[in-house]
Amino acid sequence: MRRTLPTLADKKVNPLTAKLLEYCNVLRDNGLSTAEFVEQLAYLVFLKMADETTAGPLSETKERATLVPVGYDWQSLMEKTSSGLGDHYRAILAELAKKDPVTTVGTLFTGSQNRIPNDNLLRKLIVELIDAVDWNGLTFDLRADAFEALLARSAEDTKTGAGHYFTPRPLIDAIIDAVQPRPTDTIADPACGTGGFLIAAYRYIIEHHAKELSRSDPEVRALSSGRIQGKELVPNTARLALMNMLLHGLGSAAGPSMVETGDALLTQPSRHASLVLAHPPFGKKAVITAVGRNGLAEKEDVHYSRSDFLITTTNKQVNFLQHIMSLMEMNGRAAAIVPDSALFETGPCSMLRRRLLDDFNLHTILRLPTGIFYAGGIKANVLFFDKATRAEGKPNTSKLWVYDLRTGLEFSLKQKPLRQSDLAEFVEAYLPGKSQTDRVETERFRCFSYDELIARDHLNLDIAWEEDPTLDDTHSAPPPEVIAREIVENLEAALNQFAAVADELGRDPLPQTDKQQ
């Protein structure tokens, strides 16, 4: 098992982190959210790092201009700190937004806007904070930790929805410790958020294979130039992911982007991955319906056709898991975080569970405790499964191991945050790199045969073997907004199911006016 890296909660705040958080507070007092501050920081730090990288005799050559055009670079920005700063900054953003979106610069700047409320604050940010730091001279740990501290602060701002894409770092590291990424892996995350999984996988490879690899090694260069790839629907989140990677030493400012912006569910994967890591967006209702091989589709204004999907549904987690299945190469492996509903709901969810058991080797489920995500009241699990050729007449899953980290345990973001040590027992029980036949049952780790699983009502995989003592009358119910959201999602899901049944019977679905009531 690898040396445990300290999490943000375990570390003392380094000077750069403290300085960034101080400026964050100043800008928040002027109406800028943490997420907006981090966005502006990504633009400006990239310009400063590009200037440091290309400083010297090459500064006026075409080589530098291919990355950031002369007149739209950091030096031109510094020359405007006395007057016209805001207008010139907007001109820089507009110019760099013209870059091909498949490049690093294009991903960072497409759709970029100046959100700093006035020139004085912008000047303060540029001169006193960013220009005063030798960003390329900092160690990866210092600059990456500082940026991640801001991402964590941004995730706390629930009004912006930032927390929905922020996966706890201790959980990410435990998953990485379990699946053990290799230098030869092709690694993908189809809903990469701020890039946590991809960065942790790269960090694991560098740390564990340092003796046989160097940063100039072809395997390492391959990881940074296409073998690690993320996709993210929200453009601003994609740019944060890309900047996060660059600050961790992953990727190239002058190369192709390691994060593609767009909806991963729109098209079949053009290439496959040996390791898929994902925390797809939760929720039952997707904006678009996927039409699978069964040909049935709920009535939607827009839909997409995925011949590789076996199940037609608007359920987002089902569609993302189907996408992950398609994304995996033969003998590939995956770890995906899903809500509890994916394990017990009937209909498309039960069909998906059957496919996971029959066509894939669903070998491990980690039941997660509540209180670890910024979106309150979330009950989730990590599914670990492999893709293998199915022997005729036999399912690929023979045994499913369930680790219960939920029963009897309580966590909260402030008073008792999840730490790496809380997951150490799970990683040890998982036996990374060893045969699953050597696993041993414990109080929290139980094994279930295929026959036991298919005998369960509707193939329910929400498995617990002890009553949870934390679920008594002394503990409060989920927050009202969580209950309200679940009610709305359940009603939407029910209406869509009724509409699908009506279509099958040859009748029109519920009128649009009824759907809206």
Side-chain angles (χ1 to χ4, degrees):
M1 186 172 163
R2 70 170 173 148
R3 172 180 61 84
T4 299
L5 293 172
T7 65
L8 290 173
D10 299 322
K11 295 178 180 178
K12 293 182 179 179
V13 177
N14 70 53
L16 177 59
T17 302
K19 201 169 184 179
L20 289 176
L21 292 175
E22 178 185 344
Y23 275 80
C24 176
N25 292 334
V26 170
L27 289 172
R28 287 187 71 178
D29 290 342
N30 284 270
L32 209 68
S33 72
T34 306
E36 290 171 328
F37 169 61
V38 179
E39 175 191 24
Q40 300 303 308
L41 189 70
Y43 303 148
L44 294 169
V45 169
F46 179 85
L47 290 171
K48 179 62 161 53
M49 289 178 66
D51 181 72
E52 292 173 355
T53 301
T54 57
L58 297 178
S59 60
E60 299 299 327
T61 67
K62 290 183 178 180
E63 184 172 342
R64 177 174 182 176
T66 58
L67 182 59
V68 178
V70 176
Y72 296 93
D73 52 11
W74 183 258
Q75 292 303 321
S76 72
L77 195 61
M78 290 295 295
E79 292 170 3
K80 294 287 186 179
T81 53
S82 57
S83 63
L85 179 60
D87 289 340
H88 186 61
Y89 178 45
R90 280 184 283 273
I92 289 176
L93 297 181
E95 179 65 25
L96 296 182
K98 299 175 184 177
K99 294 282 187 177
D100 190 333
V102 302
T103 65
T104 294
V105 177
T107 299
L108 277 173
F109 289 94
T110 297
S112 56
Q113 297 180 41
N114 175 18
R115 302 187 188 278
I116 308 296
N118 60 69
D119 283 11
N120 288 332
L121 283 172
L122 179 58
R123 184 176 298 108
K124 186 179 180 71
L125 181 62
I126 290 172
V127 177
E128 296 183 13
L129 177 61
I130 298 176
D131 194 59
V133 175
D134 177 8
W135 291 88
N136 284 330
L138 293 173
T139 64
F140 290 126
D141 283 345
L142 279 176
R143 69 192 194 190
D145 289 349
F147 196 73
E148 285 213 3
L150 283 172
L151 292 176
R153 172 74 68 86
S154 177
E156 295 174 8
D157 190 356
T158 56
K159 292 181 180 179
T160 66
H164 291 289
Y165 59 75
F166 194 88
T167 310
R169 295 303 181 243
L171 176 58
I172 288 177
D173 284 339
I175 293 171
I176 294 298
D177 280 335
V179 299
Q180 295 187 325
R182 300 183 288 259
T184 54
D185 272 324
T186 301
I187 304 170
D189 184 344
C192 70
T194 54
F197 271 125
L198 302 177
I199 291 167
Y202 179 74
R203 188 175 62 186
Y204 182 97
I205 292 169
I206 296 299
E207 181 180 338
H208 276 74
H209 300 273
K211 291 183 179 179
E212 67 253 42
L213 296 176
S214 67
R215 291 195 179 273
S216 61
D217 189 282
E219 293 290 356
V220 175
R221 290 201 303 269
L223 289 171
S224 291
S225 61
R227 285 236 303 271
I228 293 181
Q229 193 72 32
K231 191 153 189 175
E232 172 54 41
L233 176 64
V234 182
N236 189 42
T237 308
R239 72 173 108 252
L240 297 184
L242 187 56
M243 193 68 210
N244 201 11
M245 292 181 186
L246 291 174
L247 292 173
H248 278 86
L250 179 56
S252 168
S257 175
M258 300 185 71
V259 179
E260 182 182 355
T261 304
D263 187 349
L265 300 180
L266 282 176
T267 56
Q268 290 184 218
S270 58
R271 57 181 178 176
H272 297 87
S274 61
L275 177 59
V276 181
L277 305 161
H279 180 177
F282 290 174
K284 300 180 179 65
K285 181 69 164 59
V287 176
I288 303 174
T289 301
V291 181
R293 289 185 196 168
N294 60 10
L296 300 177
E298 288 98 356
K299 293 296 184 180
E300 293 287 334
D301 293 333
V302 183
H303 69 273
Y304 50 78
S305 180
R306 290 287 298 262
S307 60
D308 54 325
F309 283 9
L310 301 184
I311 305 164
T312 297
T313 179
T314 58
N315 188 309
K316 283 190 289 189
Q317 54 256 25
V318 171
N319 285 334
F320 258 104
L321 281 170
Q322 290 192 99
H323 179 75
I324 290 170
M325 291 172 176
S326 295
L327 187 58
M328 298 168 70
E329 66 181 32
M330 192 56 66
N331 300 317
R333 56 208 195 281
I337 301 174
V338 300
D340 274 14
S341 58
L343 300 186
F344 64 77
E345 283 191 350
T346 58
C349 285
S350 61
M351 295 167 64
L352 180 80
R353 293 192 295 272
R354 187 62 184 247
R355 189 180 176 208
L356 277 171
L357 292 174
D358 288 350
D359 298 341
F360 293 76
N361 177 19
L362 176 62
H363 55 80
T364 311
I365 294 179
L366 169 61
R367 285 168 51 84
L368 296 173
T370 56
I372 67 173
F373 296 102
Y374 284 95
I378 295 295
K379 291 184 177 180
N381 312 264
V382 186
L383 307 185
F384 296 86
F385 54 98
D386 302 333
K387 188 171 187 175
T389 302
R390 183 178 177 182
E392 186 175 355
K394 292 185 178 180
N396 271 331
T397 301
S398 59
K399 293 181 179 179
L400 170 64
W401 289 80
V402 180
Y403 191 96
D404 187 356
L405 190 66
R406 184 180 305 173
T407 302
L409 294 176
E410 292 183 279
F411 293 89
S412 64
L413 295 176
K414 297 294 184 181
Q415 285 75 26
K416 190 183 178 184
L418 182 73
R419 297 182 182 276
Q420 189 77 15
S421 57
D422 297 312
L423 291 150
E425 185 180 292
F426 161 71
V427 175
E428 184 178 355
Y430 187 97
L431 294 183
K434 298 180 182 179
S435 172
Q436 293 166 17
T437 59
D438 295 331
R439 289 177 172 178
V440 177
E441 286 193 334
T442 66
E443 183 180 348
R444 291 194 179 274
F445 203 30
R446 296 289 177 88
C447 181
F448 301 86
S449 70
Y450 175 84
D451 289 339
E452 288 177 297
L453 297 173
I454 62 171
R456 293 175 61 85
D457 189 31
H458 297 292
L459 236 171
N460 187 334
L461 298 183
D462 184 27
I463 302 173
W465 47 91
E466 289 187 8
E467 186 176 346
D468 192 344
T470 64
L471 300 179
D472 57 34
D473 293 337
T474 64
H475 290 75
S476 60
E481 64 272 16
V482 174
I483 297 174
R485 185 173 65 246
E486 289 181 349
I487 291 172
V488 170
E489 288 182 349
N490 286 328
L491 288 172
E492 287 180 336
L495 284 171
N496 283 313
Q497 289 176 3
F498 285 135
V501 171
D503 282 347
E504 283 193 67
L505 295 175
R507 297 192 299 266
D508 290 333
L510 293 175
Q512 187 66 29
T513 53
D514 291 339
K515 287 185 179 182
Q516 294 172 345
Q517 291 178 356

